[in-house]
Amino acid sequence: MTCTLTRGNIHSTPFLIPVGTENGIYFLPLDLSGPLELTKREREVLTGVAQGERSKEIALRLGITERTVRAYLTNIYTKLNVDSRSSAVAVAVARGLLS
């Protein structure tokens, strides 16, 4: 595994997800097995996240409310088993859900 520390940020391959605990940081392997489907709208929302858009910007672009964007993000996090935007993008790219 390649892991670098830059200005306090840890960068690793998308196949290991860093998890912070009281005892430090450890890495969990990413499970890439099994089929995973995101809806078209979930992919559109996640693409916006990957491009650095805020929820408000995604909502305006897609013609939906910011609350709806947050609901899509919650669904995406659940499907990808993550708890952050950056982890969702990393997992989606590793699984080939985003190009």
Side-chain angles (χ1 to χ4, degrees):
M1 174 193 106
T2 303
C3 180
T4 58
L5 182 61
T6 313
R7 293 186 187 175
N9 296 316
I10 293 177
H11 304 279
S12 65
T13 65
F15 302 103
L16 294 173
I17 303 295
V19 178
T21 68
E22 293 175 2
N23 299 321
I25 296 175
Y26 64 96
F27 295 85
L28 291 177
L30 174 62
D31 180 11
L32 297 175
S33 64
L36 179 69
E37 300 262 343
L38 294 179
T39 66
K40 178 182 176 191
R41 188 60 101 184
E42 288 168 344
R43 285 192 312 274
E44 291 171 338
V45 168
L46 194 52
T47 296
V49 170
Q51 294 172 346
E53 291 180 334
R54 298 178 317 211
S55 293
K56 185 175 185 177
E57 294 167 324
I58 295 168
L60 287 171
R61 180 173 50 82
L62 298 177
I64 58 179
T65 67
E66 196 172 345
R67 181 177 177 182
T68 301
V69 170
R70 288 193 304 270
Y72 279 119
L73 286 171
T74 298
N75 291 341
I76 291 166
Y77 292 173
T78 300
K79 287 182 177 184
L80 299 180
N81 195 28
V82 298
D83 62 2
S84 71
R85 288 173 171 246
S86 59
S87 293
V89 171
V91 170
V93 168
R95 295 192 68 135
L97 300 172
L98 290 178
S99 50

